[in-house]
Amino acid sequence: MQQPPRYATSFFRVNHYLDSFEAYSYRNDARADKRQCKECYDEKGREATKQRDDDIRPWLRAFVDSVGAQKGRALLFGAGDFVHLS
């Protein structure tokens, strides 16, 4: 019998999603040269569309069912927002 992939039974998963170019390029770290490259960002976006999954939907539904829509909105308020650095 073949074992399921480990992520299928994991309690914790990390997914990486490509956000807007502004969010992608705002960091000033060792990768800044590539992060400032719009063509590099666009290439990552083309690659990312090939690797979609829908694993979060059941979790999100269970989360909202567990805490309620109003509290869920409050708890997730600001999730995914980025501070604009000048």
Side-chain angles (χ1 to χ4, degrees):
M1 185 167 134
Q2 186 177 6
Q3 294 294 319
R6 290 183 184 200
Y7 74 85
T9 58
S10 175
F11 290 112
F12 181 73
R13 297 184 196 173
V14 175
N15 292 301
H16 183 83
Y17 299 96
L18 191 61
D19 207 330
S20 67
F21 179 69
E22 291 76 19
Y24 173 78
S25 62
Y26 88 101
R27 287 193 181 105
N28 186 13
D29 62 13
R31 301 166 290 179
D33 289 343
K34 286 198 175 198
R35 286 185 179 277
Q36 302 302 317
C37 172
K38 180 76 164 85
E39 291 170 1
C40 299
Y41 170 81
D42 291 340
E43 178 61 28
K44 282 186 176 286
R46 283 190 292 278
E47 288 299 313
T49 61
K50 298 175 187 174
Q51 303 172 14
R52 293 183 183 198
D53 69 52
D54 218 16
D55 290 346
I56 193 66
R57 288 184 194 267
W59 176 90
L60 191 55
R61 169 56 42 210
F63 172 77
V64 172
D65 290 346
S66 172
V67 301
Q70 185 175 359
K71 188 171 183 179
R73 272 193 294 278
L75 290 169
L76 295 174
F77 180 78
D81 290 347
F82 290 86
V83 176
H84 292 281
L85 302 176
S86 53

